[in-house]
Structures are given as structure tokens and as C-alpha cells.
Amino acid sequence: MKLTSKGRYAVMALVDLAKFNDINPVSLRDISLRQGISLDYLEQIFSKLRKKEIVQSVRGTQGGYVLNKKAKEIKLTNILDAVDEKVKTVQCKKELKKGCNGKATKCLTHNLWDELETHINNFFDKKSLEDLVQDNIERRV
Amino acid sequence: MKLTSKGRYAVMALVDLAKFNDINPVSLRDISLRQGISLDYLEQIFSKLRKKEIVQSVRGTQGGYVLNKKAKEIKLTNILDAVDEKVKTVQCKKELKKGCNGKATKCLTHNLWDELETHINNFFDKKSLEDLVQDNIERRV
DNA sequence: ATAAACCCGACTAAAATAGTCAAGTATCAT
DNA sequence: ATGATACTTGACTATTTTAGTCGGGTTTAT
């Protein structure tokens, strides 16, 4: 299972973006400043988000990024997938043909990790960017 | 969030152990052979499990390890905690005083990771070693 | 006695992470 | 036109984590 800063940054940045989305393209510089994330790193992250069509870029002065879909339609799964934060509980899955740990049969805990993966993915499938923005506004009030 | 081979090995090894537990102490050598896990690595892992009183050791020839509690009473949370696989979704939690990402306030996604952590921990709290052994026997039949 | 096992601490190669850096290209405002 | 702003791309790198390895113990059944 992987879940690191890259995924967290991606989600944070998109929540930030979603809040300002209606008005203008949002520059990474602004997100960088507001969220305290390295600009160079953000560029890497947004490059991936763009390739997966989660955001669109607007080049030139006054440029930046805008959401490519409605916030409600962007699920956390999409975001984390885009930045390669696969929710993989174990290597078991990688090498299905030859079983787990190089053995011919499934390892003793194979089903467990499968279940966990489903459990976590359910969580991410339900949450949309809109939920997060909403959650955020409410808490501030 | 961390969930790597160490945690997986710990769980696998304990399921193995639990299956043979009634008869004799189980040596790490046997577990190593059956599960394809390095003996030296297993020793590190069991050292931690022993310190957290999940297993007891029996030294000398014919020695090995036995469960220190009933399989039903050993939850996955206990196992993963013991080997330092804290289910930490993010650093946010480490530095609560100064907020997230060095900012004075909670980061935009703080609540999200909190929720996820709870979600995962619920899963681990419900699963006992007995469940896993049972699951395993059933599948074989 | 000796072999089987646990016990312990230090070391290390490889991979992953979280960036940084350099050299672009596109576009807007003036 | 031209400069400033901002995206684009790819390569590089320091640090940390992971998954071990290694070398020495100590204990105990036989």
C-alpha cells in the first residue's frame, strides 16, 4: 500500500484549485504559496493530472490550470490513480501467475489484503472533490 | 500510510504459527521454509512481536514460538502496531501542534486522512488471527 | 558436548520519495 | 515587438525507507 506526500499534495492542490476554479485559471505559483508545496514538484504532479484529463492547462500570462470536469465527478480514486498512488496493499497482486512470495499457491493472507484493498477503494470511490471542498467550507464557518 | 512486507510477513508468520500452535513451539526455521521468508528477517520481526507480548519464545533445541494469547484475542491492529506498521495516512498527524505542512492551520485535507485512518483501523480492529486461520482452512476444503 | 534454536546489534544494497535544476515553449499585456 | 508570466519536459540528486544480511552471542534438550 502506498499513500505518500505526492498523493496528498495532489488532493490538496486540487481542493485549492476547486475553490478558485469558477473565477480564473489558478497558477501553480499561487497554489504553491498557499499550500506550501514546492512549485517544481507541483509541476510534476499537474503534468500527470493533465495527462489523465483531470485538469486543463492555460498557457501564458494569467494562465494556470482549471478543472476539466465538475468537482462532483472527480473522485479521489481518479486523483490518486493519476499520480500513481495505486492502492496496492501488497506485491501478491503483481505476480498472480506464480502466486505469492514465489510459491505456487496463494499466500496465507492473500484474501485479507484483497479485502483491505476493496475496503480502501470503496472509501476513495465515494469521495469526490466536491465533498472535500464542501467539508472545508463548512468547517471554516 | 505504511503497509509493507514487514507487516505482511508478520501476519503471514502468525497465521502459520497459529495453525501449528496447539502441538509444539514452532521454530522460525520452519516458518521461514513454509512461507519463504528470510530467517534473519523473521527473527527481527519476532523480536518485536515478543516485546509486545503477542508471542512467547521457548529457547533451546525443540524450541520456537507460541502464541501468548488466544488467536481470537489477537487483532491485526496489535500485530501491525508491534512491527511498527503504524497506519499513518500522512505526516499531518505527527506535527499537530504546528498544523500541517508547517502552516498554522489544518491542511485542506486533514479531515479526509483522519477519516481514512479510522476507516482502515476499523477494518484491522475487527479482524483477528482466528478469523484468518479460519478463512484459510475453509478455502482449502 | 553439541546441535538446535532463540537473541541482539550493526551493517548495507537497493528502491522509493521528495524534491531540484535547466532549458525550453506559449501567450498575454503593454 | 517584447518582456514577463506561466506551463512543459526531462534529467539529476539527496535523503529516507525497506528488506534484508552478517556475526556474534546465549539457552537448553538430547
Side-chain angles (χ1 to χ4, degrees), chain B residues 3-77:
Chain B
L3 229 178
T4 63
S5 289
K6 184 153 59 180
R8 187 169 90 254
Y9 288 168
V11 178
M12 281 174 67
L14 284 175
V15 172
D16 186 299
L17 177 55
K19 284 168 64 179
F20 293 84
N21 194 47
D22 289 335
I23 311 155
N24 275 319
V26 181
S27 74
L28 293 189
R29 193 175 146 278
D30 287 354
I31 296 179
S32 167
L33 290 173
R34 280 194 295 259
Q35 303 305 327
I37 304 169
S38 142
L39 176 59
D40 284 313
Y41 203 25
L42 274 178
E43 285 182 339
Q44 280 184 36
I45 291 169
F46 272 75
S47 164
K48 292 182 175 186
L49 293 174
R50 186 172 52 86
K51 277 170 193 151
K52 288 292 168 68
E53 298 176 329
I54 289 169
V55 296
Q56 265 192 340
S57 67
V58 179
R59 300 187 72 159
T61 320
Q62 302 296 96
Y65 287 91
V66 290
L67 292 184
N68 200 23
K69 310 174 193 176
K70 286 182 182 154
K72 194 194 262 178
E73 281 149 26
I74 301 174
K75 305 294 183 186
L76 287 200
T77 324

Side-chain angles (χ1 to χ4, degrees), chain A residues 6 10 26 49 72 84 89 95 101 104 107 110 112 118 122-123 131 140:
Chain A
K6 183 153 59 177
V26 181
L49 293 174
K72 193 195 265 182
D84 298 319
T89 39
E95 316 140 19
N101 251 25
C107 75
H110 195 105
L112 171 69
T118 306
N122 279 346
F123 180 85
D131 295 334
R140 176 161 331 155

Side-chain angles (χ1 to χ4, degrees), chain A residues 1 3 5 8-9 11-12 15-16 19 34-37 76 89-92 101 103 107-109 111-113 115-116 119-120 123-124 127 132 135-136 139, chain B residues 1 3 5 8-9 11-12 15-16 19 34-37 76 89-92 101 103 107-109 111-113 115-116 119-120 123-124 127 132 135-136 139:
Chain A
M1 162 99 195
L3 230 177
S5 288
R8 187 168 90 256
Y9 288 168
V11 178
M12 280 174 67
V15 172
D16 184 299
K19 285 167 63 178
R34 280 194 294 260
Q35 304 304 327
I37 303 170
L76 286 200
T89 39
V90 275
Q91 278 93 330
C92 288
N101 251 25
K103 301 178 71 188
C107 75
L108 294 181
T109 53
N111 273 37
L112 171 69
W113 308 120
E115 250 186 89
L116 174 61
H119 190 69
I120 295 173
F123 180 85
F124 285 140
K127 290 268 174 194
L132 294 184
D135 195 50
N136 212 256
R139 221 161 348 108
Chain B
M1 161 99 196
L3 229 178
S5 289
R8 187 169 90 254
Y9 288 168
V11 178
M12 281 174 67
V15 172
D16 186 299
K19 284 168 64 179
R34 280 194 295 259
Q35 303 305 327
I37 304 169
L76 287 200
T89 39
V90 276
Q91 278 93 329
C92 287
N101 251 27
K103 301 177 73 187
C107 75
L108 294 181
T109 53
N111 274 37
L112 171 69
W113 308 119
E115 250 185 90
L116 174 61
H119 189 67
I120 295 173
F123 180 85
F124 285 139
K127 290 267 176 197
L132 295 184
D135 195 49
N136 214 254
R139 219 158 353 106

Side-chain angles (χ1 to χ4, degrees), chain A residues 11-64:
Chain A
V11 178
M12 280 174 67
L14 284 176
V15 172
D16 184 299
L17 177 55
K19 285 167 63 178
F20 294 85
N21 194 47
D22 289 336
I23 311 155
N24 275 320
V26 181
S27 73
L28 294 189
R29 194 176 145 278
D30 287 354
I31 296 179
S32 168
L33 290 173
R34 280 194 294 260
Q35 304 304 327
I37 303 170
S38 141
L39 176 59
D40 283 312
Y41 204 25
L42 273 178
E43 284 179 341
Q44 280 185 35
I45 291 170
F46 272 75
S47 165
K48 293 181 174 186
L49 293 174
R50 185 172 53 86
K51 276 170 193 152
K52 288 294 168 69
E53 297 176 329
I54 290 169
V55 296
Q56 265 192 339
S57 67
V58 179
R59 301 185 70 156
T61 320
Q62 304 295 97

